Amino acid sequence: MKPVTEHDVRTSFVNCSKGEAKRLHLPKDFADLPWPDLDFLGWRDPGAPGRAYVVAEHGNRLVGVALRAASGAARGFTSRSMCSLCLTTHGSTGVALMAARRRGDPDRYASVGQYLCADLACSLYLRGQRRTSVGADYDESLTLEEKVARTRANLHAFLDRVTRP
């Protein structure tokens, strides 16, 4: 991902008000993010853990989406889940169901949900810069470039569903 500014991020959101975008908390390490290793910018709001954000290059522009992490009972200690973007397997709470309000939908309850890495660090898991507690449970024959392309395609499909009128 190309480096972006705070202004770029705040003006990219398509499913929240300008006021909400202005008030959101950026990642603490925003100035030091490893931009060349990111396929998208994703983070949980440190002031409100149930909120999360994804910003990505999509359709020749920067698109930001505000997400809500579903709350619910913790799964069992031995349970595993898989992120639907990067296909990384996590233990117990490493994957969260996140929902995005659809852009411009008059029904304010219309949303699109997706199971995502709870910390939204898909890019770092793909590149082996972050590890899960369960480790890899299967070997893939795909190259890193192919995994990145698959993750981006999955992300773009999600963003298409959120931004579709």
Side-chain angles (χ1 to χ4, degrees):
M1 180 172 187
K2 292 182 258 178
V4 296
T5 66
E6 179 178 342
H7 179 265
D8 294 337
V9 169
R10 292 187 188 283
T11 59
S12 71
F13 284 91
V14 297
N15 69 338
C16 66
S17 71
K18 290 180 182 180
E20 289 171 314
K22 184 178 180 181
R23 290 185 303 270
L24 66 83
H25 296 97
L26 291 175
K28 292 176 187 174
D29 60 347
F30 184 75
D32 301 319
L33 288 172
W35 295 106
D37 295 331
L38 297 180
D39 303 302
F40 64 91
L41 174 60
W43 75 99
R44 298 289 287 262
D45 189 326
R51 293 183 187 161
Y53 307 97
V54 167
V55 176
E57 296 161 353
H58 181 66
N60 297 322
R61 66 185 183 119
L62 201 61
V63 173
V65 174
L67 304 164
R68 295 277 183 180
S71 60
R75 293 184 293 268
F77 179 71
T78 59
S79 121
R80 292 182 182 193
S81 298
M82 182 181 284
C83 172
S84 60
L85 293 185
C86 65
L87 305 187
T88 298
T89 303
H90 294 271
S92 118
T93 60
V95 170
L97 175 60
M98 300 210 189
R101 189 173 60 219
R102 291 198 49 203
R103 174 184 177 205
D105 200 311
D107 179 2
R108 67 180 205 149
Y109 299 107
S111 61
V112 177
Q114 192 100 14
Y115 285 96
L116 306 174
C117 290
D119 59 3
L120 297 167
C122 298
S123 302
L124 302 180
Y125 291 116
L126 284 178
R127 290 164 175 79
Q129 296 175 13
R130 191 170 286 181
R131 303 245 182 253
T132 68
S133 61
V134 297
D137 58 348
Y138 63 93
D139 287 328
E140 285 190 284
S141 59
L142 298 178
T143 65
L144 174 59
E145 291 77 21
E146 292 168 324
K147 291 177 187 179
V148 167
R150 177 182 62 197
T151 298
R152 287 181 179 172
N154 291 339
L155 175 63
H156 290 302
F158 175 66
L159 293 175
D160 283 342
R161 289 194 314 273
V162 172
T163 59
R164 185 179 318 137

